Amino acid sequence: MKKIIVLISGSGSNLEAIAKACQNGSIAGSIELVISNQPNVKGLERAQKFHLMSNVINHKEFDSRESFDKALLEQILPVEPDLIVLAGFMRILGKDFTQAFEGKLINIHPSLLPEYPGLNTHQQAINNGDLMHGISIHYVNSNLDDGPIIAQGALKIDPNQSEAKLINRIHKIEHAMYPKVIEDISKGYISLKNGAVVYAKESHFSSNHMEFFNV
Ligand code: GAR
């Protein structure tokens, strides 16, 4: 059983999807710890609902990125995690942190990377008249929303739909794909070797995996 730590900053709907997949046994692992950099967020309530251990490390209480990362490390290291999952974690992690967990740190981002790293991805896609929008799941390196892509999911933008509706549709893709990627990592079907993603034949995914969703 792999030991998983999930880092969140907000609603935690991806955390919930992952917790369910751990509970029903499709992920060969368990969430040992949830850490939020924001107090009082819904994700912490969800953690409680699934009886997961959770902690807040409020970034506002630290005067530098390094000291925040150090506090994070102090919580993470004793757990000896096999995988750290960023699920709506909205802090940039420093190079020392990302290098310490190279190949064990994954992120989900609501855009078809390299398009739209950073914030407000949905509105940017709408404003630019894009036909497609989507999500990317990737190993994390020291750059923002960057690193080897494991899988991407896409949908067709309806120009008459609101941003809220688009976010909702994007979440459906995230909740379908993130647990599956974590399942494959937990079973050793996906890994990072020499900076490249390696897929076993048993994996749900393969290189340049782009799945279209009619959601
Ligand atoms: C998700 O859409 C995730 O892709 C995004 O935050 C949302 C969190 O939702 N992450 C990023 O933007 C990271 N750059 P959730 O808290 O309900 O899982």
PDB file of all heavy atoms in Angstrom, residues 10-14 87-88 90 108-110 145 171 174, ligand 1:
ATOM      1  N   GLY A  10      -8.203  24.599  -1.016  1.00  0.00           N
ATOM      2  CA  GLY A  10      -9.579  25.096  -1.131  1.00  0.00           C
ATOM      3  C   GLY A  10     -10.631  24.036  -0.976  1.00  0.00           C
ATOM      4  O   GLY A  10     -10.646  23.286   0.004  1.00  0.00           O
ATOM      5  N   SER A  11     -11.477  23.933  -1.980  1.00  0.00           N
ATOM      6  CA  SER A  11     -12.684  23.114  -1.882  1.00  0.00           C
ATOM      7  C   SER A  11     -12.423  21.617  -1.699  1.00  0.00           C
ATOM      8  O   SER A  11     -13.200  20.913  -1.054  1.00  0.00           O
ATOM      9  CB  SER A  11     -13.525  23.369  -3.132  1.00  0.00           C
ATOM     10  OG  SER A  11     -14.242  22.236  -3.469  1.00  0.00           O
ATOM     11  N   GLY A  12     -11.357  21.124  -2.290  1.00  0.00           N
ATOM     12  CA  GLY A  12     -10.979  19.721  -2.060  1.00  0.00           C
ATOM     13  C   GLY A  12     -11.854  18.707  -2.778  1.00  0.00           C
ATOM     14  O   GLY A  12     -11.921  17.546  -2.360  1.00  0.00           O
ATOM     15  N   SER A  13     -12.477  19.120  -3.883  1.00  0.00           N
ATOM     16  CA  SER A  13     -13.306  18.129  -4.585  1.00  0.00           C
ATOM     17  C   SER A  13     -12.430  17.027  -5.198  1.00  0.00           C
ATOM     18  O   SER A  13     -12.836  15.868  -5.266  1.00  0.00           O
ATOM     19  CB  SER A  13     -14.195  18.796  -5.645  1.00  0.00           C
ATOM     20  OG  SER A  13     -13.418  19.317  -6.681  1.00  0.00           O
ATOM     21  N   ASN A  14     -11.228  17.384  -5.622  1.00  0.00           N
ATOM     22  CA  ASN A  14     -10.318  16.336  -6.121  1.00  0.00           C
ATOM     23  C   ASN A  14      -9.859  15.427  -4.989  1.00  0.00           C
ATOM     24  O   ASN A  14      -9.754  14.219  -5.169  1.00  0.00           O
ATOM     25  CB  ASN A  14      -9.107  16.966  -6.828  1.00  0.00           C
ATOM     26  CG  ASN A  14      -9.438  17.406  -8.231  1.00  0.00           C
ATOM     27  OD1 ASN A  14      -9.574  16.578  -9.127  1.00  0.00           O
ATOM     28  ND2 ASN A  14      -9.620  18.700  -8.427  1.00  0.00           N
ATOM     29  N   ALA A  87      -3.572  18.873  -5.061  1.00  0.00           N
ATOM     30  CA  ALA A  87      -4.971  18.836  -5.523  1.00  0.00           C
ATOM     31  C   ALA A  87      -5.595  20.197  -5.230  1.00  0.00           C
ATOM     32  O   ALA A  87      -6.208  20.409  -4.189  1.00  0.00           O
ATOM     33  CB  ALA A  87      -5.723  17.713  -4.807  1.00  0.00           C
ATOM     34  N   GLY A  88      -5.346  21.135  -6.163  1.00  0.00           N
ATOM     35  CA  GLY A  88      -5.816  22.499  -5.927  1.00  0.00           C
ATOM     36  C   GLY A  88      -4.950  23.202  -4.904  1.00  0.00           C
ATOM     37  O   GLY A  88      -5.432  24.066  -4.169  1.00  0.00           O
ATOM     38  N   MET A  90      -2.458  25.903  -4.131  1.00  0.00           N
ATOM     39  CA  MET A  90      -2.199  27.126  -4.881  1.00  0.00           C
ATOM     40  C   MET A  90      -0.957  27.884  -4.393  1.00  0.00           C
ATOM     41  O   MET A  90      -0.913  29.105  -4.439  1.00  0.00           O
ATOM     42  CB  MET A  90      -3.439  28.038  -4.832  1.00  0.00           C
ATOM     43  CG  MET A  90      -4.709  27.362  -5.309  1.00  0.00           C
ATOM     44  SD  MET A  90      -4.585  26.625  -6.957  1.00  0.00           S
ATOM     45  CE  MET A  90      -5.010  28.053  -7.934  1.00  0.00           C
ATOM     46  N   ILE A 108      -2.384  18.606 -10.638  1.00  0.00           N
ATOM     47  CA  ILE A 108      -3.428  18.712 -11.664  1.00  0.00           C
ATOM     48  C   ILE A 108      -3.655  20.185 -11.919  1.00  0.00           C
ATOM     49  O   ILE A 108      -3.689  20.993 -10.989  1.00  0.00           O
ATOM     50  CB  ILE A 108      -4.723  17.989 -11.222  1.00  0.00           C
ATOM     51  CG1 ILE A 108      -5.707  17.893 -12.390  1.00  0.00           C
ATOM     52  CG2 ILE A 108      -5.385  18.654 -10.015  1.00  0.00           C
ATOM     53  CD1 ILE A 108      -6.774  16.835 -12.196  1.00  0.00           C
ATOM     54  N   HIS A 109      -3.766  20.529 -13.194  1.00  0.00           N
ATOM     55  CA  HIS A 109      -3.932  21.944 -13.550  1.00  0.00           C
ATOM     56  C   HIS A 109      -5.057  22.074 -14.575  1.00  0.00           C
ATOM     57  O   HIS A 109      -5.121  21.297 -15.535  1.00  0.00           O
ATOM     58  CB  HIS A 109      -2.621  22.493 -14.117  1.00  0.00           C
ATOM     59  CG  HIS A 109      -2.714  23.947 -14.454  1.00  0.00           C
ATOM     60  ND1 HIS A 109      -2.769  24.933 -13.481  1.00  0.00           N
ATOM     61  CD2 HIS A 109      -2.811  24.578 -15.643  1.00  0.00           C
ATOM     62  CE1 HIS A 109      -2.883  26.111 -14.072  1.00  0.00           C
ATOM     63  NE2 HIS A 109      -2.902  25.920 -15.377  1.00  0.00           N
ATOM     64  N   PRO A 110      -5.930  23.075 -14.379  1.00  0.00           N
ATOM     65  CA  PRO A 110      -7.089  23.180 -15.266  1.00  0.00           C
ATOM     66  C   PRO A 110      -6.805  23.922 -16.570  1.00  0.00           C
ATOM     67  O   PRO A 110      -7.367  24.986 -16.836  1.00  0.00           O
ATOM     68  CB  PRO A 110      -8.109  23.936 -14.394  1.00  0.00           C
ATOM     69  CG  PRO A 110      -7.278  24.794 -13.513  1.00  0.00           C
ATOM     70  CD  PRO A 110      -5.989  24.050 -13.273  1.00  0.00           C
ATOM     71  N   ASP A 145       3.355  25.145 -12.782  1.00  0.00           N
ATOM     72  CA  ASP A 145       2.499  24.343 -13.665  1.00  0.00           C
ATOM     73  C   ASP A 145       3.295  23.778 -14.842  1.00  0.00           C
ATOM     74  O   ASP A 145       2.898  23.904 -16.004  1.00  0.00           O
ATOM     75  CB  ASP A 145       1.294  25.170 -14.148  1.00  0.00           C
ATOM     76  CG  ASP A 145       0.413  25.603 -12.981  1.00  0.00           C
ATOM     77  OD1 ASP A 145       0.231  24.807 -12.051  1.00  0.00           O
ATOM     78  OD2 ASP A 145      -0.086  26.735 -13.002  1.00  0.00           O
ATOM     79  N   HIS A 171     -14.183  20.137 -13.707  1.00  0.00           N
ATOM     80  CA  HIS A 171     -14.068  19.332 -12.494  1.00  0.00           C
ATOM     81  C   HIS A 171     -14.459  17.872 -12.752  1.00  0.00           C
ATOM     82  O   HIS A 171     -13.844  16.956 -12.215  1.00  0.00           O
ATOM     83  CB  HIS A 171     -14.955  19.909 -11.380  1.00  0.00           C
ATOM     84  CG  HIS A 171     -14.195  20.805 -10.449  1.00  0.00           C
ATOM     85  ND1 HIS A 171     -14.651  22.027 -10.032  1.00  0.00           N
ATOM     86  CD2 HIS A 171     -12.986  20.645  -9.849  1.00  0.00           C
ATOM     87  CE1 HIS A 171     -13.759  22.575  -9.219  1.00  0.00           C
ATOM     88  NE2 HIS A 171     -12.740  21.759  -9.105  1.00  0.00           N
ATOM     89  N   GLU A 174     -11.547  16.206 -14.157  1.00  0.00           N
ATOM     90  CA  GLU A 174     -10.516  16.025 -13.120  1.00  0.00           C
ATOM     91  C   GLU A 174     -10.844  14.835 -12.219  1.00  0.00           C
ATOM     92  O   GLU A 174      -9.984  14.005 -11.925  1.00  0.00           O
ATOM     93  CB  GLU A 174     -10.387  17.301 -12.281  1.00  0.00           C
ATOM     94  CG  GLU A 174      -9.876  18.468 -13.100  1.00  0.00           C
ATOM     95  CD  GLU A 174      -9.498  19.682 -12.262  1.00  0.00           C
ATOM     96  OE1 GLU A 174     -10.137  19.944 -11.231  1.00  0.00           O
ATOM     97  OE2 GLU A 174      -8.559  20.371 -12.667  1.00  0.00           O
TER      98      GLU A 174
HETATM   99  C1  GAR B   1      -8.844  22.282  -9.627  1.00  0.00           C
HETATM  100  O1  GAR B   1      -9.572  22.672 -10.759  1.00  0.00           O
HETATM  101  C2  GAR B   1      -7.361  22.193  -9.950  1.00  0.00           C
HETATM  102  O2  GAR B   1      -7.113  21.804 -11.270  1.00  0.00           O
HETATM  103  C3  GAR B   1      -6.912  23.616  -9.729  1.00  0.00           C
HETATM  104  O3  GAR B   1      -7.599  24.039  -8.589  1.00  0.00           O
HETATM  105  C4  GAR B   1      -8.879  23.381  -8.558  1.00  0.00           C
HETATM  106  C5  GAR B   1      -9.080  22.814  -7.166  1.00  0.00           C
HETATM  107  O4  GAR B   1     -10.347  22.272  -6.990  1.00  0.00           O
HETATM  108  N1  GAR B   1      -5.487  23.686  -9.569  1.00  0.00           N
HETATM  109  C6  GAR B   1      -4.719  24.669 -10.022  1.00  0.00           C
HETATM  110  O5  GAR B   1      -5.178  25.662 -10.563  1.00  0.00           O
HETATM  111  C7  GAR B   1      -3.233  24.494  -9.786  1.00  0.00           C
HETATM  112  N2  GAR B   1      -2.469  25.410 -10.571  1.00  0.00           N
HETATM  113  P1  GAR B   1     -10.659  21.364  -5.737  1.00  0.00           P
HETATM  114  O6  GAR B   1     -10.101  22.122  -4.520  1.00  0.00           O
HETATM  115  O7  GAR B   1     -12.156  21.300  -5.683  1.00  0.00           O
HETATM  116  O8  GAR B   1     -10.004  20.038  -5.933  1.00  0.00           O
END
